[in-house]
Amino acid sequence: MFQYIVRRTLIAIPVLLGVTIFNFLIVNMAPGDPVEMYINPDATEQDIQIKREALGLNDPIYVQYWHWLINVFKGDFGNSFTTYEPVMGMIAERIGPTLLLMGFSLVIAYLIAIPIGIISATKQYSWTDYLTTTFSFLGISIPHFFLGLGAIYVFALIFQVLPTGGMNTLGGSGGFMDTFLHMLLPGLVLGTGIAGSMVRYVRSSMLEVLGQDYLRTARAKGVKEFVVTNKHALRNALIPIITIVGMDIPLLIGGAVVTEQIFQWPGLGQLTIQSIGSRDYPTLMAVNLLAAFAVLFSNLLADVLYSVADPRIKYN
């Protein structure tokens, strides 16, 4: 297993390098000039060129990429075009709230999806199955921005039981309960979307396993149905579920972009939207690199969990 992890890590290095090249080209090919957003409208052409030279934008694009890559290997992602702060510090400040929201959303999603998926599979073609399937389709179909705005309208404006956005109450003392209340709405919005797709995969995986001969043998030996379903069947149905979990972790960063903006959650998603609007190239590159790393790490984690769920799987 250790050799497999090392080999996958070494393979990930050229993949990350290719991702950075592609992202750098896309970011720099976007329409608009960042200098125009940070300089006085009455500035002369000479002033604009001086600013471009200071930001390194006059160099050929391959030179700009080379300088950026060398600095990244040194642990320096440059300074933001907007605030002139170190990008690494901005990422470090924002990644905590995003990880908190991601973790909370995933917990909600799996607490909803796994029991519902098991019930749907064990009661196939019943009204319970049709009801859970309907919930699944609704969770997949309703966009996050629509669900988020609807949740704010109902719980924050009509019933006034939850805050509209932010991470803490302005002027308040903060604390765990205050953060938890602010996290409920965005967490439920993200978790509902993930649970919608997860229910279908759990149901499908369980249906494939429930008809196996070894489960019939277990029932014939008098093993309780609860143990048959939740111990023997569920563990053997985990492989496809783990695959989806590995896909959800990086996708949640992308999904959180819209949700964090709606709820004004001070995470990487909100930072990404602000960086796109201000053409903040260094910050965008850092966020894209972090997202690429999350994809590679989650895929490796899923491979490791395969062998945990099924001891027959060996990596040589």
Side-chain angles (χ1 to χ4, degrees):
M1 175 63 74
F2 177 75
Q3 293 179 351
Y4 174 78
I5 294 175
V6 172
R7 187 166 65 250
R8 283 290 300 270
T9 303
L10 293 176
I11 294 174
I13 295 175
V15 174
L16 276 177
L17 186 63
V19 169
T20 60
I21 294 173
F22 181 76
N23 282 335
F24 198 87
L25 291 174
I26 293 297
V27 168
N28 282 271
M29 287 170 60
D33 189 345
V35 174
E36 296 176 358
M37 304 191 66
Y38 312 124
I39 201 165
N40 193 311
D42 299 327
T44 64
E45 183 64 28
Q46 183 179 5
D47 295 331
I48 295 176
Q49 292 303 319
I50 291 174
K51 185 66 175 179
R52 288 183 60 85
E53 188 68 31
L55 296 176
L57 296 175
N58 281 336
D59 296 330
I61 191 168
Y62 60 87
V63 175
Q64 294 181 42
Y65 173 76
W66 178 251
H67 290 162
W68 177 84
L69 187 63
I70 293 299
N71 289 330
V72 167
F73 279 119
K74 296 178 182 177
D76 179 15
F77 287 88
N79 294 330
S80 168
F81 286 173
T82 308
T83 63
Y84 302 104
E85 298 178 44
V87 173
M88 180 64 78
M90 296 172 63
I91 296 293
E93 182 181 348
R94 299 279 189 143
I95 195 171
T98 292
L99 291 176
L100 179 63
L101 182 60
M102 284 174 56
F104 182 67
S105 303
L106 288 174
V107 169
I108 290 177
Y110 300 144
L111 287 178
I112 295 174
I114 293 178
I116 289 180
I118 293 174
I119 293 172
S120 180
T122 55
K123 299 183 181 297
Q124 188 181 16
Y125 302 131
S126 66
W127 67 268
T128 305
D129 185 21
Y130 294 131
L131 187 64
T132 55
T133 303
T134 302
F135 164 78
S136 173
F137 284 127
L138 287 175
I140 297 171
S141 304
I142 300 177
H144 286 168
F145 72 88
F146 182 81
L147 189 60
L149 292 175
I152 290 174
Y153 179 74
V154 173
F155 294 103
L157 298 182
I158 295 181
F159 295 110
Q160 298 183 358
V161 293
L162 292 173
T164 57
M167 190 173 176
N168 296 107
T169 303
L170 292 176
S173 58
F176 170 77
M177 186 54 64
D178 187 40
T179 302
F180 178 76
L181 290 176
H182 281 78
M183 187 169 54
L184 265 180
L185 283 184
L188 286 171
V189 168
L190 285 172
T192 302
I194 298 171
S197 60
M198 179 62 68
V199 166
R200 298 172 59 202
Y201 288 107
V202 174
R203 178 183 181 276
S204 177
S205 299
M206 288 294 294
L207 285 175
E208 291 182 7
V209 173
L210 286 174
Q212 299 294 325
D213 292 337
Y214 66 90
L215 293 184
R216 297 193 187 96
T217 303
R219 294 189 184 97
K221 290 182 176 180
V223 179
K224 295 182 178 179
E225 187 64 27
F226 180 85
V227 177
V228 171
T229 302
N230 295 280
K231 182 179 179 181
H232 301 293
L234 179 60
R235 178 162 186 174
N236 286 279
L238 281 179
I239 298 300
I241 298 173
I242 290 173
T243 303
I244 303 304
V245 172
M247 294 169 59
D248 283 340
I249 294 175
L251 284 178
L252 201 56
I253 297 178
V257 169
V258 177
T259 306
E260 287 185 6
Q261 185 68 13
I262 292 174
F263 291 97
Q264 293 301 298
W265 186 263
L268 289 175
Q270 189 185 61
L271 179 64
T272 302
I273 293 292
Q274 293 171 354
S275 302
I276 292 172
S278 59
R279 299 185 181 91
D280 191 350
Y281 295 169
T283 306
L284 282 175
M285 284 300 303
V287 173
N288 288 334
L289 181 61
L290 182 62
F293 177 80
V295 171
L296 294 173
F297 174 77
S298 60
N299 287 335
L300 176 60
L301 179 63
D303 287 344
V304 173
L305 291 177
Y306 289 155
S307 62
V308 175
D310 190 347
R312 294 172 298 178
I313 297 177
K314 301 294 183 182
Y315 298 111
N316 297 321

